[in-house]
Amino acid sequence: MTRPSVLVARAVFGDIVDRLRAHFDVEDNPQDRIFTKAELSAKLAGKAGAFITGSERIDAELLDANPQLRAVCNMAVGYNNIDVDACNARGVLATNTPDVLTETTADFGFALMMAAARRMAESEHFLRRGEWSKWSYDMFIGSDVHGATLGILGMGRIGQAIARRGALGFGMQVIYHNRSRLAPELEAPLGARYVSKEALLREADHLVLVVPYSAASHHAIGAAELALMKPSATLTNVARGGVVDDAALAAALRERRIAAAALDVFEGEPSVHPDLLTVPNVVLTPHIASATVRTRRAMADLAVDNLIAALTGGTPPTPVNPQVLPLKG
Ligand code: 8YV
């Protein structure tokens, strides 16, 4: 019997790619070239499965060009790069990597929020420029995190993990808005209060975005929403670019309509809106919230577990669209 062929679309830990080689003919990409849409489609010719990341877009056109493709396994919890309806219509399995990155991403989201509140990046840049000549009472004066009101938009696994840090570690009052309210047994230990989006914007001292990207969450934070926030508030985004209108945020930061922001994700990344690069009161990181050795290995392993199970008649651990299982042929 011929072994199925799979594509590993991006460079990833060699020993984890070797796990795939035990089952499949593998075409990998150790040079980590980013394929154009046409190149990705051509690379998928004859492949039964693909290991992908958030950088690879899987849409109807690509699936139609590759009708033999049966599974696309994302090394990411977010899967807005995959047209799941198009996968469903063609019986293609999509998988993601939930849970394994929750705590690591929450650590980073909390760190970014603290960095914005306490002006860490801005003051570090000042020091590096050689501008520090004296102490003064109001130099880089910021706002407290402990005891403040933590607002969370999107109270899924990562949102709850950030809330735990705030409530249990920093004595914060947690308010949140989400599509649906959490069960009382999840709210109670955090003292978390479900509020309208408008109340969340008005009341939060530190607002953290952890909502998945979709048409519904596109520009969930734009000029109108920023206008409701306190002038002393901070905004942190560890969700997806596109949840925030970056141009509107840059303008609000420049005019000090909010105090500071911290962003790990950007509209059109790896490009960054030029106005964000010139406003001082924003911390900018290149989409690294899940980037620890242990977590990135766990994500890659889980994507590989999914791909192996999908193509060998097993049960993929974290399917996005389990309704297409069992896969044909
Ligand atoms: C990934 C992420 O690093 O899991 C996600 O949704 O955003 C990050 O953890 C990125 O998407 C690469 O696949």
Side-chain angles (χ1 to χ4, degrees):
M1 215 178 81
T2 59
R3 285 158 35 114
S5 295
V6 300
L7 176 70
V8 178
R10 297 291 307 279
V12 71
F13 307 98
D15 59 316
I16 294 179
V17 178
D18 289 342
R19 291 188 53 216
L20 289 172
R21 291 191 204 283
H23 300 266
F24 310 121
D25 287 340
V26 176
E27 178 175 352
D28 62 350
N29 179 12
Q31 275 74 45
D32 206 27
R33 246 170 39 73
I34 301 283
F35 302 135
T36 63
K37 192 177 149 105
E39 284 170 341
L40 179 62
S41 188
K43 289 271 177 200
L44 286 170
K47 305 291 193 303
F51 175 110
I52 58 169
T53 73
S55 316
E56 286 70 50
R57 169 116 198 103
I58 304 294
D59 59 16
E61 198 185 335
L62 180 135
L63 295 175
D64 285 340
N66 291 282
Q68 80 297 334
L69 192 62
R70 288 186 287 142
V72 288
C73 299
N74 218 21
M75 180 181 156
V77 64
Y79 49 85
N80 54 299
N81 56 314
I82 302 175
D83 182 338
V84 178
D85 290 339
C87 288
N88 290 341
R90 293 158 184 80
V92 174
L93 178 73
T95 68
N96 68 341
T97 58
D99 302 319
V100 292
L101 47 59
T102 300
E103 299 299 330
T104 296
T105 304
D107 282 351
F108 197 79
F110 209 85
L112 277 184
M113 184 253 283
M114 293 196 77
R118 299 301 308 273
R119 306 179 66 175
M120 285 182 185
E122 195 182 352
S123 59
E124 203 226 13
H125 296 156
F126 162 89
L127 182 151
R128 284 181 189 271
R129 286 194 305 268
E131 289 176 25
W132 185 25
S133 59
K134 63 179 195 319
W135 178 92
S136 52
Y137 78 98
D138 61 351
M139 185 170 68
F140 293 107
I141 205 160
S143 62
D144 279 328
V145 168
H146 73 273
T149 297
L150 171 61
I152 298 188
L153 184 65
M155 198 63 150
R157 288 168 287 236
I158 299 170
Q160 290 173 50
I162 292 173
R164 273 199 302 280
R165 284 157 176 75
L168 309 180
F170 288 76
M172 300 179 87
Q173 286 82 53
V174 176
I175 55 176
Y176 74 98
H177 184 73
N178 197 42
R179 260 182 321 188
S180 49
R181 188 171 169 175
L182 292 185
E185 61 271 24
L186 293 176
E187 278 186 355
L190 305 172
R193 192 158 56 85
Y194 183 76
V195 295
S196 67
K197 184 176 168 190
E198 181 173 334
L200 183 79
L201 293 163
R202 286 190 192 281
E203 292 175 31
D205 294 314
H206 303 295
L207 177 61
V208 183
L209 310 178
V210 212
V211 68
Y213 182 74
S214 67
S217 64
H218 179 74
H219 285 187
I221 303 294
E225 289 75 19
L226 291 162
L228 296 177
M229 293 176 68
K230 298 179 186 178
S232 55
T234 72
L235 175 71
T236 297
N237 187 6
V238 285
R240 275 289 178 274
V243 171
V244 175
D245 177 343
D246 285 349
L249 175 60
L253 288 167
R254 190 182 303 283
E255 293 157 19
R256 305 271 167 181
R257 284 186 269 120
I258 66 168
L263 307 173
D264 188 48
V265 287
F266 304 88
E267 289 188 279
E269 64 185 53
S271 298
V272 176
H273 195 291
D275 293 355
L276 287 173
L277 297 174
T278 57
V279 286
N281 45 343
V282 62
V283 186
L284 306 169
T285 53
H287 203 150
I288 57 170
S290 67
T292 67
V293 175
R294 191 165 63 174
T295 291
R296 285 284 167 83
R297 287 188 66 83
M299 292 165 69
D301 259 324
L302 182 52
V304 163
D305 291 344
N306 276 304
L307 190 47
I308 293 172
L311 299 183
T312 60
T315 306
T318 51
V320 168
N321 55 348
Q323 65 271 29
V324 302
L325 294 170
L327 296 177
K328 288 191 287 290

